Amino acid sequence: MPPAVPPADSVDPLPSWKDGAVRRAILAYVKRVSRCGSPAWIPPEDRIAVLDNDGTLWPENPIPIQLAYLLDTLGNRVRQTPSLAKDPAVSAALRGDLAAVLKGPGSEEATGRLLSLTHAGMTPEEFRASVARWLATARHPRFARPYTALAYQPMLELLALLRAHGFRTWIVSGGGLDFMRVFSGCLYGIPPEQVIGSHGRVRFELQDGQPRLVKTIDQLVVDDKAGKPEAIHTFIGRRPVAVFGNSDGDLPMLQYGTMDQPRPSLGLLVHHTDGQREYAYDSRPSSSGKLVEGLRQAPDRGWLVVDMARDWSVVFPPVSPGSAMPACRF
Amino acid sequence: MPPAVPPADSVDPLPSWKDGAVRRAILAYVKRVSRCGSPAWIPPEDRIAVLDNDGTLWPENPIPIQLAYLLDTLGNRVRQTPSLAKDPAVSAALRGDLAAVLKGPGSEEATGRLLSLTHAGMTPEEFRASVARWLATARHPRFARPYTALAYQPMLELLALLRAHGFRTWIVSGGGLDFMRVFSGCLYGIPPEQVIGSHGRVRFELQDGQPRLVKTIDQLVVDDKAGKPEAIHTFIGRRPVAVFGNSDGDLPMLQYGTMDQPRPSLGLLVHHTDGQREYAYDSRPSSSGKLVEGLRQAPDRGWLVVDMARDWSVVFPPVSPGSAMPACRF
């Protein structure tokens, strides 16, 4: 006789979340807004969940993953064309002194030159191929895993829970739009048209009679802070009801989704408290206040604060080190 | 005995299209790319259809409908604040002399002032309410119908046919993003997140502790010509396979979707040839060449050209004059 299949209700949709106030509040919210006949019911078309990426869905330490891509790519460019290292911004970046690039007069131009060398002057398809090649071999310096094996397992479960209850999940991140699209599908199950990120203009041209787009850093749109609710309006045109972030850069998006909001809403901040399994950094006074105002406002606003050390039983997916997530083989 | 229900295959999905090469090519295309096992099959996620709005889905004569909204709204503003008419751009627009606004030095600033007075300085919700009020009472000067009763019936059938075959339909238009979203749902069945249009930055702010967005005309993105494929990449991140337009402003989008395209594609231009039932204007040398290059390129590119007089048995939906489309009651 085959083993009995457990009834659907008994399958835990959030096995990596420890029992506690946060887990219970999430489960109660998705149930009450999606259950037929519930007074808090939200029509499916308005079940819009927006999620930050760096620090919310995957790590942003010791440096943001896209910055690791930028530095590796810059190193390759300089190996091919050594004269590029004459640019002080390039040489500073390659010796690990980004502070020198990001401060002082001319820092905007210097940053622009680094972005130009690594994120522009190619088609989106060429950029995608470059990022995919990098993801296939790059390893996180501490966890020795491919970056695509470092999505937070509890957040992957949360994404699945939201979608199982009729939510559409959107990434709204300061990361690069085209960068995130390379892995958003295989890693998070989020298609390219539901990714919002920082981007420059792509330039359309006919080359030898064939149409192509070329990435530029012109007319840069930075999808951070107030830019997040602004981009949500431009791209989606609906107010989100569920908002997930991890830093003060996500505050405007949390405010937009949850304050003066006629629909029941869910705001959540991932608080990085787990130096053993991940990093504990966001509310140290020395960390330039990454998540200070958010923690201060959370109680009044009713936002959930995930204490990673306390609320997550697992941080990363249980794959053997060195292997990519099954769906993300590039 | 009840009358026999005809088998599904015998229900004509395009009753307002006359039998002919264009109708047959459309039906053959959607069938061969969506039929299971067809060598031309396209995965549903890549069945992306993009459609221009003005002149493709509804009329753009005698003036574009959004311009009629602008002029009516400007008239209301001047009645409330007569001193506004001291601006030569405002007075020229109100006496019907837009040519004076759009030409000569300072035309960009003048256009900006007209847009500012009618499309900025309010929340998207306030703008939506204003457009909805206008659509409820405004009538087309020649057809004496609400504008929402003037969608082209054959194009409504085409939208339904595409969606019935697993296509997602997106508007990609030079018209205003927030303007089109007011009626895209009720008129075309296209939700706000599938509308791409020209837009300024919306500015996020907390006012009296409540979040709100304010429309501006800063950082204007014009979704026309090369801006169309560029916006398609930014918003969708997939190449469309079916592209529908009516003017040379749609050429880059048609080229992007159909040239050097590994998937089977469908390009279509609506050619305005029907002065009796609608307008015949687009290829007159005196019309500033609205659709000249498109007609020239169409045969080589395999684009279908809809001759409205020849290919459409009906132009507008069969509703009694003066009544809005059932779903578009504001």
Side-chain angles (χ1 to χ4, degrees):
Chain A
M1 226 172 74
V5 176
D9 271 3
S10 76
V11 176
D12 182 356
L14 297 177
S16 303
W17 292 73
K18 290 190 203 161
D19 188 33
V22 173
R23 180 188 143 98
R24 283 180 215 163
I26 293 170
L27 290 170
Y29 175 79
V30 298
K31 190 169 175 184
R32 73 193 182 93
V33 302
S34 63
R35 199 184 50 223
C36 220
S38 161
W41 185 81
I42 298 176
E45 64 269 24
D46 284 331
R47 288 183 213 153
I48 302 283
V50 290
L51 302 102
D52 171 61
N53 183 42
D54 291 309
T56 299
L57 295 178
W58 75 359
E60 56 184 348
N61 272 314
I63 59 171
I65 295 172
Q66 189 168 1
L67 180 55
Y69 169 74
L70 183 151
L71 293 175
D72 284 354
T73 308
L74 197 63
N76 290 338
R77 297 284 324 254
V78 168
R79 268 187 291 282
Q80 287 158 14
T81 314
S83 62
L84 290 173
K86 287 178 197 157
D87 181 336
V90 173
S91 56
L94 289 184
R95 69 172 181 268
D97 188 7
L98 273 170
V101 178
L102 298 173
K103 275 176 196 159
S107 66
E108 203 168 312
E109 289 79 4
T111 309
R113 289 199 303 280
L114 299 187
L115 281 176
S116 264
L117 285 168
T118 53
H119 286 70
M122 68 202 85
T123 68
E125 293 76 19
E126 288 162 351
F127 180 73
R128 161 180 282 271
S130 168
V131 175
R133 273 195 307 273
W134 180 78
L135 286 172
T137 57
R139 294 293 179 271
H140 187 279
R142 173 172 159 200
F143 301 114
R145 284 186 182 202
Y147 291 107
T148 51
L150 289 173
Y152 301 134
Q153 176 65 23
M155 295 305 286
L156 296 179
E157 295 166 6
L158 178 60
L159 284 169
L161 175 75
L162 288 167
R163 292 194 287 254
H165 287 80
F167 281 81
R168 277 174 297 167
T169 51
W170 292 68
I171 290 177
V172 178
S173 167
L177 176 59
D178 286 331
F179 184 81
M180 296 188 290
R181 280 172 170 166
V182 179
F183 53 85
S184 66
C186 62
L187 193 53
Y188 306 133
I190 294 182
E193 64 272 20
Q194 285 169 217
V195 177
I196 303 176
S198 298
H199 58 279
R201 184 184 161 195
V202 287
R203 196 178 63 239
F204 178 80
E205 58 184 38
L206 286 180
Q207 199 186 50
D208 303 327
Q210 298 303 337
R212 57 174 227 162
L213 296 170
V214 181
K215 286 174 68 63
T216 81
I217 60 162
D218 302 338
Q219 298 165 40
L220 207 62
V221 174
V222 179
D223 186 34
D224 196 23
K225 302 191 179 76
K228 291 198 173 197
E230 294 168 4
I232 289 169
H233 175 74
T234 301
F235 279 73
I236 311 182
R238 306 181 192 265
R239 279 182 80 178
V241 293
V243 185
F244 305 85
N246 77 298
S247 83
D248 288 348
D250 297 315
L251 276 197
M253 168 164 89
L254 276 154
Q255 293 164 337
Y256 181 55
T258 67
M259 291 165 61
D260 198 28
Q261 162 67 280
R263 303 221 182 265
S265 63
L266 178 69
L268 182 149
L269 284 163
V270 175
H271 183 14
H272 291 262
T273 54
D274 196 330
Q276 282 210 301
R277 295 183 300 175
E278 205 246 7
Y279 296 91
Y281 62 97
D282 50 12
S283 54
R284 278 198 317 245
S286 63
S287 77
S288 69
K290 190 147 183 59
L291 181 63
V292 173
E293 190 57 24
L295 292 177
R296 198 187 64 76
Q297 291 188 19
D300 278 355
R301 310 265 185 247
W303 298 334
L304 304 176
V305 175
V306 174
D307 180 324
M308 283 180 69
R310 179 197 66 194
D311 290 317
W312 288 357
S313 60
V314 168
V315 174
F316 298 120
V319 294
S320 52
S323 83
M325 297 287 290
C328 272
R329 301 207 180 277
F330 294 105
Chain B
M1 227 171 75
V5 176
D9 270 4
S10 76
V11 175
D12 182 356
L14 297 178
S16 304
W17 292 72
K18 290 191 202 158
D19 188 32
V22 173
R23 179 189 143 98
R24 282 180 215 163
I26 294 171
L27 289 170
Y29 175 79
V30 297
K31 190 169 176 183
R32 73 194 183 92
V33 301
S34 62
R35 200 185 49 224
C36 220
S38 160
W41 185 81
I42 299 176
E45 63 269 24
D46 284 333
R47 289 182 213 154
I48 302 282
V50 291
L51 302 101
D52 171 61
N53 183 42
D54 292 308
T56 300
L57 294 178
W58 75 359
E60 56 184 349
N61 272 313
I63 59 171
I65 295 173
Q66 190 167 0
L67 180 54
Y69 170 75
L70 183 152
L71 293 175
D72 284 353
T73 308
L74 198 63
N76 289 337
R77 296 286 321 258
V78 169
R79 270 187 290 282
Q80 287 158 14
T81 312
S83 62
L84 290 173
K86 286 178 198 158
D87 182 335
V90 173
S91 55
L94 289 185
R95 69 171 181 267
D97 188 7
L98 273 170
V101 178
L102 298 173
K103 276 178 196 158
S107 66
E108 203 168 313
E109 290 78 4
T111 309
R113 289 200 304 280
L114 299 187
L115 280 176
S116 264
L117 284 168
T118 54
H119 286 70
M122 68 201 84
T123 67
E125 294 77 17
E126 288 162 351
F127 179 73
R128 161 180 281 271
S130 167
V131 174
R133 273 195 308 274
W134 180 78
L135 286 172
T137 56
R139 295 293 178 271
H140 188 279
R142 172 172 160 202
F143 301 114
R145 285 186 183 202
Y147 291 107
T148 51
L150 289 173
Y152 301 134
Q153 176 64 23
M155 295 304 287
L156 296 179
E157 295 165 6
L158 178 61
L159 283 169
L161 175 75
L162 288 166
R163 292 194 288 253
H165 288 79
F167 281 82
R168 277 175 297 166
T169 51
W170 292 67
I171 291 176
V172 179
S173 166
L177 176 59
D178 285 332
F179 184 80
M180 295 187 290
R181 280 172 170 167
V182 180
F183 54 86
S184 66
C186 62
L187 193 53
Y188 306 133
I190 295 182
E193 65 272 20
Q194 285 169 220
V195 177
I196 304 176
S198 298
H199 58 279
R201 184 185 161 195
V202 288
R203 196 178 61 240
F204 177 80
E205 57 184 38
L206 286 179
Q207 198 187 51
D208 302 327
Q210 300 302 338
R212 58 174 226 162
L213 296 171
V214 180
K215 285 175 67 63
T216 80
I217 59 162
D218 303 338
Q219 297 164 42
L220 207 61
V221 174
V222 178
D223 185 34
D224 196 23
K225 303 191 178 75
K228 291 197 173 197
E230 294 168 3
I232 289 170
H233 175 73
T234 300
F235 279 74
I236 311 181
R238 304 181 192 264
R239 277 183 81 178
V241 293
V243 185
F244 305 85
N246 76 298
S247 82
D248 288 347
D250 298 314
L251 276 197
M253 168 165 89
L254 277 154
Q255 293 164 338
Y256 181 55
T258 66
M259 291 165 60
D260 197 27
Q261 161 68 281
R263 302 220 183 266
S265 63
L266 178 69
L268 182 148
L269 283 163
V270 175
H271 184 14
H272 291 263
T273 54
D274 195 330
Q276 281 210 301
R277 297 183 300 176
E278 206 245 7
Y279 297 91
Y281 61 98
D282 50 12
S283 55
R284 278 199 314 247
S286 63
S287 77
S288 69
K290 192 146 182 60
L291 181 62
V292 173
E293 190 57 23
L295 292 177
R296 199 186 64 76
Q297 292 189 19
D300 278 355
R301 310 264 184 248
W303 298 334
L304 303 177
V305 176
V306 174
D307 180 326
M308 284 179 68
R310 179 197 67 196
D311 290 318
W312 288 358
S313 61
V314 168
V315 174
F316 298 120
V319 296
S320 51
S323 82
M325 297 287 290
C328 271
R329 301 208 180 278
F330 294 106

